[in-house]
Amino acid sequence: MAHDIRWGSALPAFSARHTVLAPLEGDQHRVAPILAGRRQPVRCDVILAYCPANLRWTLAAAESILNQAFAEPVLHLVADGGSAMDDRGLKNALAGVACCRWYRAPNRLGPYRIANNLFDYLETEYYAIQDADDLSAPNRLWRSVRILEDYGYDIFGGAMEQFADYRRRSPLVQTALANAPYQMPGVYWLRTPRGAIIHGAMTCRKSWFERLNGYGDFTSGGDCEFISRAHAAGAKTYVSHQVVAWRRLHDRSLSYSTARTLPAHEQFSPREAQRRFAEWKRTGCNWASYGRLDRCRGGGDLIKLEEDPR
């Protein structure tokens, strides 16, 4: 079933630690059903940034977007910190694919600063993020854009089914998978929207991204910060418990890496989420002041490559 959730509406009580909810059997037949017959394809920009830690999975992630049913994606591939990265295999594999756009960030930016930098290169009215270590279901874009276009929503969020990569399955990753087989949207953390919709299952109107001045300064959890801020600002959000993507858990990800611990100011932590949401509820709050799009737009930190970047 699908839920149109506006924060503050009545919701079941959720655990402060985590909640595991399994999609209802046959759910895909009741939410935005795809019927037989011809249909007008949807168009959507998709941003895919990759780095040495996830390069091995990037081609599969890109192909999950290129193979979208009933969709015409514009795929923006960004080598994040790519000056010393050997990504020739990826570029050879996707050579000649007309909908691919290629960029290089000489210095590591991270997914949120990349999205801010790419804003002026977007070509459609909607954008989605494809993490390089995840996979999108074949109808992710069609389902989400159709809901945004046909019903006037600003943001779509679906569920992600999680799996552990067999090469990098640390005890921490295995525990995370056991605790939460699904990454569900719409979960409250102590009544503060956090983790509501993560990148791999989100599609957003470009106009709302600009209205909120894009992502903020966080290295980890910036998608959660953005969606919480959007809720506070009144964005009309469609939250579905239908699985639209698969999230790869591995020990080199930002979430589960044991090699790097981010400073507190780089993380959208539960404590920071509570503090900010209290600020966002104040009368006259300028939600755009928390974003950094105005400092990044125009692609100043990116180098745009030729259509065939080999």
Side-chain angles (χ1 to χ4, degrees):
M1 73 188 277
H3 305 274
D4 172 10
I5 293 178
R6 304 295 293 272
W7 299 114
S9 61
L11 287 175
F14 290 109
S15 164
R17 293 177 63 240
H18 45 244
T19 300
V20 179
L21 299 174
L24 298 175
E25 184 178 359
D27 186 55
Q28 65 271 24
H29 300 298
R30 297 196 300 275
V31 181
I34 297 177
L35 306 176
R38 296 177 62 85
R39 57 187 49 76
Q40 184 69 30
V42 301
R43 299 190 69 240
C44 183
D45 287 278
V46 182
I47 302 170
L48 196 169
Y50 58 92
C51 63
N54 54 35
L55 180 59
R56 67 172 68 187
W57 301 299
T58 303
L59 179 58
E63 288 180 333
S64 76
I65 294 298
L66 297 174
N67 288 329
Q68 288 289 298
F70 321 121
E72 296 174 353
V74 180
L75 182 58
H76 303 264
L77 293 116
V78 184
D80 190 13
S83 57
M85 193 188 327
D86 185 2
D87 56 0
R88 288 172 294 179
L90 174 68
K91 291 173 179 174
N92 286 335
L94 298 179
V97 180
C99 66
C100 289
R101 314 288 184 260
W102 296 88
Y103 312 81
R104 179 165 59 85
N107 301 308
R108 185 74 185 274
L109 297 178
Y112 312 115
R113 289 174 63 191
I114 283 175
N116 285 344
N117 271 269
L118 271 173
F119 181 81
D120 288 332
Y121 290 110
L122 301 182
E123 302 175 23
T124 75
E125 297 180 29
Y126 309 97
Y127 84 93
I129 304 288
Q130 173 66 49
D131 288 333
D133 45 7
D134 295 339
L135 299 167
S136 287
N139 297 302
R140 173 192 172 190
L141 296 182
W142 188 84
R143 291 182 187 279
S144 57
V145 174
R146 278 270 68 87
I147 287 170
L148 299 182
E149 288 189 339
D150 294 348
Y151 300 101
Y153 286 90
D154 304 306
I155 299 172
F156 170 91
M160 299 187 78
E161 187 167 6
Q162 307 201 119
F163 68 100
D165 188 86
Y166 74 95
R167 300 181 188 89
R168 311 198 65 88
R169 189 177 290 184
S170 68
L172 180 61
V173 164
Q174 291 178 306
T175 299
L177 178 61
N179 286 341
Y182 296 93
Q183 178 73 42
M184 304 302 296
V187 173
Y188 270 47
W189 186 89
L190 297 182
R191 300 191 178 278
T192 299
R194 178 181 182 272
I197 301 171
I198 62 175
H199 267 161
M202 182 180 81
T203 305
C204 180
R205 287 186 183 273
K206 190 171 71 171
S207 58
W208 258 93
F209 188 81
E210 185 173 27
R211 178 175 175 178
L212 291 171
N213 200 27
Y215 293 109
D217 285 333
F218 293 106
T219 300
S220 178
D223 45 357
C224 300
E225 188 273 345
F226 175 80
I227 195 68
S228 295
R229 186 156 36 102
H231 291 151
K236 188 178 180 184
T237 305
Y238 186 103
V239 176
S240 170
H241 283 182
Q242 183 179 20
V243 172
V244 297
W246 297 280
R247 187 181 186 216
R248 187 189 308 266
L249 307 180
H250 59 94
D251 61 8
R252 299 189 70 183
S253 68
L254 276 176
S255 300
Y256 299 107
S257 173
T258 57
R260 180 184 180 192
T261 301
L262 292 172
H265 70 275
E266 293 186 33
Q267 305 177 52
F268 187 57
S269 63
R271 178 176 296 179
E272 183 65 14
Q274 284 189 308
R275 188 186 70 80
R276 290 200 172 208
F277 201 65
E279 294 179 0
W280 294 335
K281 290 192 294 185
R282 294 174 185 167
T283 302
C285 177
N286 179 11
W287 298 287
S289 67
Y290 293 85
R292 296 294 181 266
L293 175 61
D294 54 352
R295 303 183 187 183
C296 301
R297 66 184 304 168
D301 292 325
L302 298 177
I303 298 173
K304 192 173 190 304
L305 306 178
E306 299 296 327
E307 293 304 319
D308 187 345
R310 292 175 296 172

